[in-house]
Amino acid sequence: MDRPIGIFDSGIGGLTVVKEVVRLLPFENIVYFGDTARVPYGIKSKDTIIKFSLENTLFLLGHDVKVIVIACNTSSSLALPVIRKHFKIPIIGVIMPGAKEAVYATKNKKIGVIGTRATVNSGAYEQEVKKLDRGIKVYSQACPMFVPIVEEGWTQDDIAYKVAKKYLEPFKKKGIDTLVLGCTHYPLLKSAIQNVMGPGVTLIDSAQQVALEVKHVLAQEGYLRKKRMKPAIEYFVSDEVAIFKNVAKKFLGKELKNIQKVPNV
Ligand code: DGL
């Protein structure tokens, strides 16, 4: 089926998921929406996050997508059940795939989760982990400064290391062996985070698992694209194209084409 896969995030973070989806499903058309005018979501109320997420879903449906990937932990934590209730189309969130991978990875049964305040307060990861293994202890830490650092493109800057240290140094004492990067922006800060946590802690970036889930759902529905042809990948943002383009280039290592600003979602 030629219809595109729809992916949204509050900003640039969801590109970490796009990258893995493209790697696994190189012929699929994709429409990405980054709500850059309203990022960050993680410090907003549940109602606002649900409202924005529903609007983003409607925007993607306007592009005739065949599946929607909520490439945002904050939206997945708070809005996924509501979106699933309102729309028949398959909807994939990022919490369950990340939780699953962490459960497989931990040996000492102590998992850490870092995310936005909204994600951490929702308890979504704990719930998913407990569904898989009740004996695992989950420790959470909100890192609200990480998202603006990524959106500014300062991922390799000194400030990224300082902020990571401030949030994670005390958190290290919990003795976790696995840390879920519970925000799609955070894989871009992997080196700073790993540096503070040390080599003994496995970082979980759910993007690969999410891509596998997308493939699984498409195969199940009979929605995989059969044509082995170069796909169309379109990007939409709600704020300046240039800012998104610059930051995307920094971490993807290539210039994104087909970026358009949409007036209002
Ligand atoms: N990338 C997002 C997440 O996974 C959003 C962060 C935000 O907008 O605060 O949570």
Side-chain angles (χ1 to χ4, degrees):
M1 183 188 277
D2 280 343
R3 285 164 61 202
I5 296 170
I7 303 179
F8 80 80
D9 177 40
S10 58
I12 206 142
L15 293 180
T16 53
V17 174
V18 173
K19 201 170 165 184
E20 293 304 326
V21 170
V22 170
R23 209 198 301 262
L24 192 68
L25 299 163
F27 304 110
E28 291 290 339
N29 296 315
I30 295 175
V31 175
Y32 180 82
F33 176 66
D35 196 4
T36 49
R38 304 192 291 197
V39 69
Y41 281 11
I43 52 167
K44 297 192 169 77
S45 70
K46 182 175 179 180
D47 286 352
T48 301
I49 294 162
I50 291 176
K51 177 178 175 283
F52 290 174
S53 304
L54 285 170
E55 287 168 357
N56 300 345
T57 303
L58 285 171
F59 173 80
L60 290 174
L61 289 175
H63 286 265
D64 198 27
V65 297
K66 57 187 173 186
V67 61
I68 288 181
V69 182
I70 307 181
C72 173
N73 289 260
T74 309
S75 290
S76 297
S77 301
L78 296 159
L80 181 67
V82 184
I83 301 177
R84 281 211 173 121
K85 210 160 74 196
H86 281 81
F87 303 100
K88 278 210 197 86
I89 183 168
I91 318 263
I92 296 166
V94 288
I95 308 294
M96 189 272 285
K100 231 192 217 169
E101 208 181 331
V103 169
Y104 287 135
T106 185
K107 298 215 166 44
N108 72 359
K109 295 197 177 247
K110 285 184 184 176
I111 294 176
V113 176
I114 51 173
T116 65
R117 246 182 213 132
T119 298
V120 166
N121 290 342
S122 77
Y125 273 102
E126 268 120 303
Q127 277 165 33
E128 290 303 326
V129 167
K130 297 279 177 201
K131 274 187 207 161
L132 299 165
D133 186 339
R134 295 206 64 80
I136 291 178
K137 278 215 153 48
V138 179
Y139 301 94
S140 306
Q141 170 70 46
C143 306
M145 291 292 288
F146 280 175
V147 170
I149 288 174
V150 171
E151 292 283 328
E152 279 297 321
W154 291 346
T155 54
Q156 301 304 320
D157 212 274
D158 227 29
I159 194 163
Y161 289 88
K162 283 199 176 123
V163 174
K165 205 163 169 206
K166 180 106 186 153
Y167 284 133
L168 302 176
E169 198 69 51
F171 194 53
K172 258 171 86 171
K173 302 200 177 82
K174 308 280 184 205
I176 56 165
D177 69 351
T178 305
L179 179 64
V180 179
L181 306 179
C183 173
T184 50
H185 283 68
Y186 296 1
L188 303 166
L189 292 168
K190 240 182 203 164
S191 54
I193 295 169
Q194 190 81 68
N195 194 286
V196 178
M197 295 308 293
V201 174
T202 309
L203 302 188
I204 304 291
D205 162 5
S206 59
Q208 275 178 19
Q209 286 299 321
V210 173
L212 282 169
E213 179 74 7
V214 174
K215 188 176 181 186
H216 174 73
V217 169
L218 291 182
Q220 206 174 33
E221 301 285 332
Y223 285 177
L224 281 165
R225 189 177 188 218
K226 302 252 157 43
K227 288 179 201 150
R228 299 178 75 80
M229 276 163 59
K230 195 173 184 290
I233 305 187
E234 291 178 282
Y235 301 91
F236 294 90
V237 288
S238 49
D239 205 355
E240 277 312 312
V241 167
I243 301 171
F244 183 82
K245 203 174 183 168
N246 284 342
V247 181
K249 191 178 171 191
K250 265 194 182 164
F251 75 82
L252 291 177
K254 61 172 190 178
E255 191 125 318
L256 288 185
K257 295 190 186 87
N258 298 332
I259 311 174
Q260 286 172 58
K261 179 176 185 292
V262 283
N264 239 327
V265 200

